Amino acid sequence: MERSLRAARVATYVYFVLCGTLMGAWVVHIPAVEERVGVSHAALGGLLVLLGLGAFAGMQVAGPLADRFGARVVVPASGVLCGASLILPGLARDPWTLAGALFVFGFCNGCLDVSMNAHAVHVEKAYGRPVMSGFHATFSVGGVVAALVAAGAASAGLTPVASMAAMGAVGIVVALVSIRALLPSAPNAESSDSPAETEAVPGTAPGSARGRIWLLAVLALMVMLCEGAANDWSALHLKDVLGAPAGTAAFAYGTFAAAMTIGRLLADRLVARFGSMAILRHGAAMAAVGITLVALAPWMWAAFIGWALFGLGLSGTVPQLFSAAGHADPAAAGANVSRVAGLGYVGMLAGPAVIGWLTHLVPLNHAFVLLTLLCVTTAAAAGILRTGSDRMPRTEMATADR
């Protein structure tokens, strides 16, 4: 059993890397697709909304399917579809075909995203200790893989369509090869040895589990809105507010992303020692301090420190919310994760737009105060993750890797 569980964990890492790689393969080819189709930046921004809508729809479909048919069916099927649909944006020749291609690719990516997270919840429950943040860290690794592969393909003279087709084909093979290692079904729902297992929230009436899931979803929306805002506005902040050269400004996002990855690699051990509630509360508080420093920073180096703190603080928040949603009812892990991930994804898409709208009213750095307020609210609401394991002795929680 130990060997099969370890294999399931490795397979889950593989699917997270695959999901990040396929999405990254689209992102790095955006300029080439934009030029091929002949659309403006503004038009492309509108078309990208369709990718988000497709992802949201895919999440709502795949979650219940994963609960009904099991991850061993839905995860690889989603991986195959996502790999196959990657080439569609590259083949688009006008805005209408690109719109359809982005919706389809977004739908398939959303299916893979939710189903692999549902399987990650089952793996975490079987392990009996936190492992979710490590999975999310490997998603970021996929983006790096996509950038390196795309650069190598361009150097070899491959067209963007050929590059996307090759990465999609490899993705299909990887999705199929990894099937056997997946867990056949959810662990016994009666088991209670998981450190992420949840109990009734203080002050919440019995039978309000669905309301609790939606509260988790709202928190996911807030923290992922913060993440989306950092993705699109960090470099512009250094360039437009602090006057940094374009090359230097790009390191703002790099600093944020690197801190996010490092934080997620460390978060599982911190959750095992201090509990998921503490990670959400202190992480959100750290993020609030970081983005406030960014908003007030008169120097570039202070801004870099602020973006690093913001990324480090946010890094462990989303995995804890997904994990809590999945463990609330293991038999409905997919459906619950789809609700939290779906609303969180809305926040990710809305973040850049909300900050952009606020810049019509106040300077960019002042608009970041909204992110401070969202992080403070999240920290104050972290009690929703209070679990029985949070009261266990730390020595019992800090178990060694199997």
Side-chain angles (χ1 to χ4, degrees), residues 59-202:
M59 289 175 180
Q60 305 317 303
V61 170
L65 287 178
D67 294 333
R68 181 173 181 179
F69 298 107
R72 185 174 280 182
V73 173
V74 180
V75 174
S78 299
V80 168
L81 292 174
C82 194
S85 63
L86 174 61
I87 195 174
L88 297 180
L91 295 175
R93 295 184 176 274
D94 56 62
W96 292 105
T97 53
L98 181 58
L102 289 178
F103 185 86
V104 172
F105 176 65
F107 181 90
C108 297
N109 189 267
C111 289
L112 178 57
D113 194 317
V114 159
S115 59
M116 70 185 187
N117 269 288
H119 183 261
V121 169
H122 298 326
V123 171
E124 183 176 63
K125 186 170 183 65
Y127 261 85
R129 59 181 175 80
V131 294
M132 179 66 80
S133 295
F135 294 137
H136 282 250
T138 56
F139 179 89
S140 302
V141 173
V144 176
V145 171
L148 293 175
V149 171
S155 299
L158 291 179
T159 65
V161 174
S163 175
M164 295 171 79
M167 281 193 268
V170 172
I172 291 173
V173 173
V174 170
L176 293 174
V177 168
S178 304
I179 292 176
R180 295 185 62 184
L182 296 175
L183 296 177
S185 60
N188 187 348
E190 299 299 320
S191 174
S192 62
D193 61 350
S194 170
E197 186 100 21
T198 57
E199 62 182 28
V201 185

Side-chain angles (χ1 to χ4, degrees), residues 18 51 53 57 68 127 214 225:
L18 174 63
L51 184 143
L53 291 175
R68 181 173 181 179
Y127 261 85
W214 285 114
L225 188 151

Side-chain angles (χ1 to χ4, degrees), residues 161-323:
V161 174
S163 175
M164 295 171 79
M167 281 193 268
V170 172
I172 291 173
V173 173
V174 170
L176 293 174
V177 168
S178 304
I179 292 176
R180 295 185 62 184
L182 296 175
L183 296 177
S185 60
N188 187 348
E190 299 299 320
S191 174
S192 62
D193 61 350
S194 170
E197 186 100 21
T198 57
E199 62 182 28
V201 185
T204 303
S208 61
R210 176 166 294 188
R212 183 172 186 275
I213 293 299
W214 285 114
L215 286 175
L216 292 171
V218 170
L219 293 180
L221 183 147
M222 290 194 291
V223 296
M224 292 180 74
L225 188 151
C226 292
E227 184 177 343
N231 290 343
D232 281 32
W233 291 103
S234 52
L236 286 171
H237 166 258
L238 251 72
K239 181 176 180 293
D240 295 346
V241 177
L242 298 180
T248 302
F251 281 104
Y253 172 70
T255 300
F256 170 80
M260 283 275 288
T261 302
I262 292 170
R264 285 178 171 172
L265 289 172
L266 299 174
D268 286 330
R269 291 186 178 276
L270 294 176
V271 172
R273 184 170 180 82
F274 301 108
S276 58
M277 182 183 69
I279 298 306
L280 181 62
R281 175 165 292 160
H282 296 297
M286 179 186 294
V289 171
I291 197 61
T292 301
L293 179 58
V294 169
L296 301 177
W299 308 291
M300 284 189 290
W301 290 111
F304 280 126
I305 293 172
W307 285 118
L309 289 174
F310 193 51
L312 194 62
L314 289 179
S315 63
T317 56
V318 171
Q320 305 322 308
L321 295 170
F322 283 17
S323 180

